[in-house]
Amino acid sequence: MGRTATAWRRVGPPTRSPAARRLVAAASGAYLANCLWGTAVAVRLIRTKKLRVVHHGLFVVTATLTGVAATTPVWTRDRSALFLLPALVPLAVAPRTNPRSGAHWRVAVAAAPSYLGALLARR
């Protein structure tokens, strides 16, 4: 009976995890690259007749990194990635919207505050 009820709890304030910081930065960078590529396609700076897979690939990388980064508070003490949780909703909805409609870019931009919040919380 030498154990106390609080032996399993983390003690002290949250610390900054280098792994969490890198994952948040990688997810944010992937999101930015995806938005820039999609914008370039939308304004016809880039023709994607044969390069459609680039935007889809960037999206998969963005969604995967965001999902992994959002789990970092579970296995580290860094809570900055909690800001990424709301971004998972637009990431789930964006593939289901018509890319030629205004709804697609509005849904994509809806995730921006989450990425910005996560980046600012890292500091």
Side-chain angles (χ1 to χ4, degrees):
M1 289 238 176
R3 291 185 185 185
T4 63
T6 60
W8 59 271
R9 291 185 195 165
R10 294 179 181 162
V11 179
T15 58
R16 304 289 182 218
S17 165
R21 292 171 58 96
R22 285 191 294 269
L23 281 169
V24 166
S28 300
Y31 172 76
L32 181 62
N34 200 6
C35 287
L36 290 174
W37 183 269
T39 301
V41 169
V43 298
R44 301 184 192 265
L45 288 175
I46 298 172
R47 304 271 187 228
T48 60
K49 197 165 203 161
K50 296 181 182 180
L51 296 174
R52 253 179 236 277
V53 72
V54 173
H55 192 53
H56 298 155
L58 282 171
F59 177 79
V60 169
V61 168
T62 301
T64 303
L65 285 172
T66 302
V68 171
T71 68
T72 58
V74 173
W75 48 274
T76 69
R77 296 178 69 189
D78 191 339
R79 295 191 183 129
S80 63
L82 288 174
F83 283 94
L84 293 178
L85 289 175
L88 296 175
V89 174
L91 289 176
V93 174
R96 291 165 176 75
T97 59
N98 183 355
R100 291 180 179 86
S101 73
H104 188 72
W105 70 265
R106 285 185 188 104
V107 168
V109 169
S114 296
Y115 290 100
L116 182 60
L119 285 173
L120 292 175
R122 289 179 349 144
R123 296 180 180 180

